[in-house]
Amino acid sequence: MSKPVRFGVLGASDFALHHMARAIHEAEGAVFAALATSSEEKATPFRAFVPDLKVFTDYDALLASEEIDAVYIPLPNHLHVAWSLKAMAAGKHVLCEKPIAMKAGEIDALIAKRDATGLVCAEAFMIVHHPQWQRLRDLLAAGEIGTLERVEVGFSFDNPDAGNIRNRPETGGGALGDIGVYAFGCVRFATGEEPVTITHAEITRENGVDVTAEVSARFPGFAYHGYVSMRMAPFQEARFHGRKGLIVVKTPFNAGVAGLAEIEITDGQGLRWIESFPAVRQYVVQVENFVRSVKEGVTYPWSLEEAKGTQAMIDAVFTAAI
């Protein structure tokens, strides 16, 4: 039996505690072996499910440990590139939360380091691992709804906490970086197309942070319209409207957490049916795919180049914004 990939987590974030650290612990071929955090107290809830967890009070000390093969990075957005580069310099594979960079050009350094070291470095864009999105991509490619004409995506939640990192410019906060990654990346993944131009971009800001963005864009084959907001009631949905039919993706991003993952398909004859994916845990699948990339050299489903494409669209929205 081959040895598991031993993960260290940099930072005791709530998201790591409630989702990714647990996914690493449960994933086949992976071991949640270590946590780096500023205090032992922050490690306590992690030890509730991994009693023998090794705890470092220094990030560099974790990276220096020969007992760690890979790191998961859930740090604030503005720290992602620097710590991903440090981790690869220490010989660790990297799975870093989205957005992996604040500007598309910053990802070039990660690509260069990945290629120079032969390590796996990837953005944790979990939806591409979910069969809901893989099924949608296959349906579009097969022409199930005819020629794709329009895509609409909405993703919102209400986060008024001024102290939250998503609301602080110095930590790389903002709706576009936090959830625009999903609203743009899902369309690029499902269709395989890249935006030609941003035709409209309207951003609402509070305290130097984008809290709502409404975006229209033109892709080679279809028109796109979407919005993301951190100041609206929770909602998420994606619609792919073709000449002959329609596909609605229900709970497209927080599948299994915010609701059931479903795709509702209406074909050219008006026949409507729903396909559901109730048992899939996309964070666990993401870790298992990462492990296969590390151990077997299997191509990871979301490359740094693909992550760069989404960030380039975010950059273009900021440039075009009124």
Side-chain angles (χ1 to χ4, degrees):
M1 181 180 297
S2 61
K3 293 182 179 180
V5 174
R6 299 163 298 180
F7 278 83
V9 175
L10 297 185
S13 73
D14 285 344
F15 186 80
L17 173 62
H18 295 295
H19 297 289
M20 280 301 296
R22 294 176 188 273
I24 292 167
H25 179 58
E26 296 175 23
E28 184 176 348
V31 171
F32 177 28
L35 172 70
T37 180
S38 58
S39 73
E40 284 280 342
E41 183 180 351
K42 292 181 179 180
T44 299
F46 291 86
R47 281 199 166 120
F49 60 94
V50 183
D52 60 347
L53 184 68
K54 175 74 172 178
V55 176
F56 295 88
T57 56
D58 180 83
Y59 294 167
D60 288 304
L62 185 150
L63 295 183
S65 174
E66 295 182 356
E67 298 178 0
I68 301 302
D69 306 306
V71 295
Y72 165 66
I73 302 176
L75 298 171
N77 296 344
H78 70 298
L79 300 175
H80 288 175
V81 170
W83 282 101
S84 293
L85 290 172
K86 286 184 179 182
M88 284 190 282
K92 313 303 184 189
H93 302 281
V94 175
L95 181 61
C96 181
E97 263 311 317
K98 52 77 198 162
I100 200 167
M102 299 304 300
K103 295 286 185 180
E106 297 174 351
I107 299 177
D108 291 338
L110 298 176
I111 292 172
K113 193 68 171 179
R114 176 203 65 189
D115 293 347
T117 60
L119 295 164
V120 177
C121 179
E123 182 182 67
F125 189 50
M126 75 289 188
I127 70 167
V128 301
H129 307 273
H130 200 295
Q132 177 187 40
W133 282 100
Q134 294 164 1
R135 174 63 170 154
L136 170 66
R137 183 177 57 176
D138 291 345
L139 288 169
L140 293 177
E144 184 67 38
I145 59 172
T147 302
L148 184 62
E149 297 288 344
R150 184 175 176 83
V151 178
E152 298 177 352
V153 180
F155 192 9
S156 63
F157 64 96
D158 188 22
N159 177 15
D161 180 7
N164 188 278
I165 60 172
R166 293 172 179 82
N167 288 314
R168 293 164 52 192
E170 68 272 19
T171 55
L176 282 165
D178 187 40
I179 55 178
V181 172
Y182 297 117
F184 301 159
C186 74
V187 178
R188 297 178 51 254
F189 174 76
T191 66
E193 293 192 15
E194 301 291 344
V196 175
T197 185
I198 305 299
T199 56
H200 176 78
E202 185 173 352
I203 295 177
T204 301
R205 292 179 170 87
E206 293 179 9
N207 300 319
V209 169
D210 56 292
V211 296
T212 299
E214 187 167 348
V215 177
S216 296
R218 185 71 216 179
F219 283 71
F222 58 91
Y224 169 87
H225 181 75
Y227 67 89
V228 294
S229 179
M230 302 191 301
R231 297 295 187 275
M232 296 171 66
F235 176 79
Q236 52 184 276
E237 187 175 271
R239 290 175 171 261
F240 293 77
H241 206 150
R243 193 166 299 176
K244 297 181 179 179
L246 172 70
I247 301 176
V248 180
V249 187
K250 305 291 185 66
T251 322
F253 310 123
N254 300 125
V257 177
L260 178 63
E262 295 180 331
I263 53 176
E264 180 183 278
I265 305 146
T266 304
D267 69 10
Q269 285 71 49
L271 179 64
R272 179 179 300 174
W273 71 96
I274 294 175
E275 298 181 11
S276 300
F277 307 86
V280 178
R281 299 190 61 200
Q282 59 186 350
Y283 299 114
V284 174
V285 177
Q286 175 177 248
V287 174
E288 291 177 344
N289 283 339
F290 186 86
V291 167
R292 278 189 283 271
S293 295
V294 169
K295 296 175 68 175
E296 303 171 22
V298 176
T299 300
Y300 192 71
W302 187 249
S303 69
L304 289 177
E305 287 82 359
E306 288 164 317
K308 181 179 178 180
T310 296
Q311 188 59 51
M313 186 171 175
I314 292 174
D315 294 350
V317 168
F318 278 118
T319 299
I322 59 175

